[in-house]
């Protein structure tokens, strides 16, 4: 079996990785195109109150002028007012209650022991009154229709025959009983209380409101309302160049746009639309990849990160496509700013702005009023990025949301003033989608957590959590190795201030500094900062053994960090904070005491690697300087100045910073910061 050499294997891996990258690009383009609306795009941009700067627009065909929503609402209200609620007349009620009345009459007559001679008269009166009441009808009034008066017009259905009437022409239960009472009062020798007590139990509603049928009639009436008012003829001027787009012209343009899209949907070539979408989306994705290749090669070379970025972009555009497909009332409900927030927190500001710009450009082709959309979302996106430039507290998410909402409000007011020319004419309901969008933007927080876990990325949010000294690892460090814990805090302060000044991720270097020496918890007493009462366990060890114990804290720190699931980016600080330098104290002591022996220098040398970023390089310097400063017998301006210069120059001479991407000018700045802070720590006064 043939075995490839290492260089050949690396070449194949690079080729394989490149193929995967292009496959991800192609899949992202296909998914986006598959979900986008497949119709031609109306070429004109316009807005109410704006000046028409295009050439005179002449109608190429006849089309109807659509009514505005306000006009449709007026027509709908008018049509609904013309509809009378439908009531059903139920003849079975009369028959049932008449039979019940006869039965109850017999029982009550017998119980009251009345004169049998008058029985027939009473029964006949009762039955006649019931017949009269039910013939006229007993209706239950509905408060829904009693807008301005107690009675209202209704349509009564009997045997599928409709009759228009008014509830005033019908009985209610109260009116029916009053009628019976008045009628019986005129009858001589009749005990009306006997009949009234029976009648009131048997006068029931026989004209009942038919809600389903009424709603069906209302729905049919509303559907039958004409959506148009008038026509624009072929060759007719729609809007002249230089004229202001008033309400009438605006509605004509809206109608023309609708007619154009309907016509294009029927007669347009979908293959050409698909080709156009492919070219645009492919161009945008290609520009993104080119940007990564030129300015963020580290991301470009990591298909995992490229896949994450393409996933975020694709998800947002697919969400927009679904919103268009399902005809969401307003596309501003979508939280577009969630994209730049996620990219900013997971990567950086420049990439976040670039991606947000590309997403808005693509989305602008499929939303109404593309320029206004782009203005709203680009300004809000920039605010969202700027507001979390340095994420150091969780509440910055809420502050960022408020700033985004304020940006939307200012943009909304400005565009509304241009369009309406009046503050009172602003429809504040149109601002509601922006409030919902900003609220949904807060979903970025759980999404960032999910992306971190799935793609193995460490965000500033995680770094904030790691810098909490109440975490379990740091609590153990403070308890088991208190001197090391205090040393780590001082190193974190030095490195964070230096990185913040020269430019870099201050939060990252602080987190790395706090955890860089956790390996010392295995044998804390072997490190001088943790030793007490003058006992030094190294006195019982050989120089080689002591060096191994000291060096082993790096390996043990890496093992502990991975056991506790610390991010690899933090593990890098543990691995590199000594680089591949020697443990000089034990090395020099060995040479001094055993000059005749041949020494294996690797026994006294850390395994490395050397620092490979600005942050890890600065941490190495801060660690060396802080540890050495504790050994100063008389910390003063001169001794601190000489110590910092000596240690930093030694690291440079040993080539420990050659991969750290840090300039000599930045190193001088770091040295100045270290000197100033150490003098503050040791309360050094400068003589004037």
């Amino acid at each position: 079996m043939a075995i490839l050499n290492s260089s050949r294997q690396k070449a194949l891996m690079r080729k394989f990785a490149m193929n995967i990258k292009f496959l991800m690009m192609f899949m992202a383009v296909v998914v986006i195109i598959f979900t986008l609306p497949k119709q031609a795009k109306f070429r004109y941009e316009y807005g109410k109150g704006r000046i028409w700067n295009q050439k005179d627009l002449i109608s190429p065909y006849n089309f109807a002028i659509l009514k505005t929503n306000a006009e449709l609402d007026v027509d709908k209200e008018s049509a609904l007012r013309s509809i009378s609620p439908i009531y059903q007349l139920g003849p079975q009620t009369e028959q049932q209650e008449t039979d019940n009345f006869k039965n109850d009459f017999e029982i009550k007559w017998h119980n009251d022991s009345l004169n049998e001679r008058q029985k027939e008269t009473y029964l006949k009166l009762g039955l006649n009154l019931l017949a009269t009441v039910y013939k006229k009808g007993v209706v239950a009034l509905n408060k829904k229709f009693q807008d301005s008066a107690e009675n209202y017009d209704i349509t009564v259905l009997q045997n599928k025959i409709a009759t228009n009437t008014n509830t005033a022409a019908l009985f209610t239960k109260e009116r029916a009983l009053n009628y019976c009472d008045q009628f019986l009062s005129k009858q001589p020798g009749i005990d009306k209380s006997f009949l009234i007590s029976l009648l009131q139990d048997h006068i029931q509603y026989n004209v009942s409101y038919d809600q389903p049928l009424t709603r069906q009639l209302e729905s049919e009436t509303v559907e039958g309302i004409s959506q148009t008012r008038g026509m624009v003829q072929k060759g007719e001027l729609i809007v002249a160049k230089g004229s202001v787009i008033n309400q009438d012209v605006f509605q004509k343009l809206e109608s023309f746009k609708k007619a154009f899209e309907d016509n294009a949907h029927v007669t347009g070539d979908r293959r050409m639309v698909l080709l156009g979408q492919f070219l645009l989306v492919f161009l945008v994705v290609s520009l993104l990849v080119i940007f990564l290749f030129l300015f963020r090669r580290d991301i470009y070379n990591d298909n995992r990160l490229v896949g994450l970025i393409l996933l975020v972009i694709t998800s947002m555009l697919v969400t927009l496509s679904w919103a268009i497909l399902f005809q969401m009332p307003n596309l501003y409900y979508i939280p577009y700013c969630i994209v730049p927030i996620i990219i900013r927190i997971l990567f950086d500001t420049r990439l976040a702005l670039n991606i947000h710009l590309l997403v808005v450009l693509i989305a602008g082709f499929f939303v109404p009023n593309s320029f206004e959309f782009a203005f709203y979302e680009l300004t809000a996106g920039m605010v969202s990025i700027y507001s979390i430039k340095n994420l150091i507290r969780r509440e910055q998410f809420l502050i960022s949301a408020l700033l985004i909402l304020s940006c939307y409000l200012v943009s909304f007011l400005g565009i509304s003033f241009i369009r309406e020319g009046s503050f009172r004419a602003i429809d504040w309901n149109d601002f509601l989608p922006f409030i919902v969008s900003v609220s949904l933007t807060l979903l970025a927080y759980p999404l960032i957590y999910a992306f971190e876990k799935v793609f193995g990325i460490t965000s500033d949010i995680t770094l904030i959590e790691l810098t909490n000294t109440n975490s379990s690892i740091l609590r153990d460090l403070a308890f088991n190795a208190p001197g090391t814990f205090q040393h780590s805090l001082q190193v974190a302060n030095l490195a964070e201030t230096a990185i913040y000044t020269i430019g870099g991720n201050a939060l990252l270097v602080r987190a790395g500094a706090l955890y860089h020496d956790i390996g010392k918890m295995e044998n804390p007493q072997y490190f001088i900062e943790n030793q007490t009462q003058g006992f030094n366990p190294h006195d019982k060890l050989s120089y080689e053994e002591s060096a191994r114990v000291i060096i082993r804290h790096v390996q043990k720190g890496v093992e502990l960090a991975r056991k506790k699931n610390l991010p690899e980016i933090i593990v890098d600080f543990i691995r590199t904070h000594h680089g591949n330098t020697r443990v000089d104290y034990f090395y020099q002591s060995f040479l001094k005491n055993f000059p005749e022996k041949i020494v294996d220098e690797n026994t006294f040398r850390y395994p490395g690697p050397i620092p490979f970023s600005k942050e890890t390089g600065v941490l190495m310097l801060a660690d060396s300087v802080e540890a050495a400063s504790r050994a100063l017998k008389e910390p003063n301006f001169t001794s601190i100045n000489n110590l910092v210069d000596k240690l930093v120059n030694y690291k440079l001479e040993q080539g420990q910073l050659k991969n750290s991407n840090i300039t000599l000018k930045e190193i001088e700045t770091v040295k100045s910061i270290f000197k100033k802070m150490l003098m503050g720590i040791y309360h050094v006064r400068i003589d004037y």
Side-chain angles (χ1 to χ4, degrees), residues 113 284 340 395 490 655:
S113 301
V284 165
E395 59 264 28
Q490 296 290 6

Side-chain angles (χ1 to χ4, degrees), residues 525-527 531 536-542 546-547 549-550 586:
Q525 70 276 12
Y526 283 88
F527 300 90
Q531 294 172 3
N536 190 343
H538 288 287
D539 295 340
K540 299 181 179 181
L541 301 178
S542 67
S546 292
V549 171
I550 297 298
F586 294 111

Side-chain angles (χ1 to χ4, degrees), residues 349-365:
T349 298
R350 185 169 56 173
L351 181 59
L353 186 59
N354 186 278
I355 288 176
H356 185 57
L357 174 63
L358 295 178
V359 169
V360 171
L361 286 176
I362 286 294
F365 278 96

Side-chain angles (χ1 to χ4, degrees), residues 480-481 484 519-532 535-542 545-553 583 586:
N480 296 316
T484 300
K520 292 182 179 180
M521 282 193 287
E522 183 191 36
N523 293 303
Q525 70 276 12
Y526 283 88
F527 300 90
I528 190 169
E529 67 266 23
N530 299 311
Q531 294 172 3
T532 58
F535 173 72
N536 190 343
H538 288 287
D539 295 340
K540 299 181 179 181
L541 301 178
S542 67
E545 290 172 334
S546 292
R548 291 190 187 99
V549 171
I550 297 298
I551 292 171
R552 192 164 59 235
H553 88 275
V583 186
F586 294 111

Side-chain angles (χ1 to χ4, degrees), residues 645-663:
D645 287 339
K646 176 184 175 182
L647 291 174
V648 173
N649 290 336
Y650 177 74
K651 299 297 183 185
L652 288 171
E653 291 169 2
Q654 293 292 313
Q656 298 297 309
L657 302 176
K658 62 183 180 182
N659 294 336
S660 298
N661 193 29
I662 188 170
T663 65

Side-chain angles (χ1 to χ4, degrees), residues 606-618:
Y606 286 97
I610 63 175
F612 46 78
S613 68
K614 188 181 294 186
E615 288 80 7
T616 53
V618 169

Side-chain angles (χ1 to χ4, degrees), residues 341-506:
I341 288 176
I342 291 174
I343 300 299
R344 163 61 193 89
I345 292 176
L346 295 180
F347 298 101
D348 61 34
T349 298
R350 185 169 56 173
L351 181 59
L353 186 59
N354 186 278
I355 288 176
H356 185 57
L357 174 63
L358 295 178
V359 169
V360 171
L361 286 176
I362 286 294
F365 278 96
F366 306 98
V367 299
N369 294 326
S370 300
F371 176 79
E372 288 183 7
F373 170 82
F375 186 87
Y376 275 125
E377 300 309 330
L378 286 179
T379 53
M382 287 188 284
V383 169
S384 67
I385 294 171
Y386 301 159
S387 61
I388 53 174
K389 180 179 182 294
N390 294 309
L391 185 63
I392 57 176
R393 297 184 304 277
R394 294 174 187 270
E395 59 264 28
Q396 282 184 252
F397 270 113
L398 293 176
I399 296 173
S400 176
L402 292 175
L403 291 174
I404 295 171
L405 185 62
S406 300
C407 177
Y408 275 136
L409 178 60
V410 173
S411 300
F412 177 78
L413 288 174
I415 292 175
S416 297
F417 289 156
I418 293 174
R419 181 184 298 165
E420 306 292 346
S422 170
F423 183 82
R424 293 183 178 180
I426 296 177
D427 185 358
W428 290 101
N429 289 327
D430 291 340
F431 189 68
L432 178 61
F434 296 106
I435 299 176
V436 175
S437 173
V438 172
S439 301
L440 292 176
T441 300
L442 296 176
L443 290 174
Y445 190 85
L447 285 175
I448 289 168
Y449 177 80
F451 287 142
E452 283 187 282
K453 296 302 179 183
V454 173
F455 292 91
I457 300 174
T458 304
S459 71
D460 286 352
I461 298 173
T462 299
L463 293 177
I464 291 174
E465 295 172 347
L466 290 173
T467 55
N468 184 356
T469 53
N470 287 318
S471 66
S472 60
I473 301 179
L474 295 181
R475 281 203 310 270
D476 291 343
L477 180 64
F479 181 78
N480 296 316
T484 300
F485 179 70
Q486 293 301 321
H487 160 72
S488 298
L489 289 176
Q490 296 290 6
V491 172
N493 292 334
L494 290 170
E496 181 181 27
T497 304
I499 281 294
Y500 185 83
T501 304
I502 66 174
N505 193 331

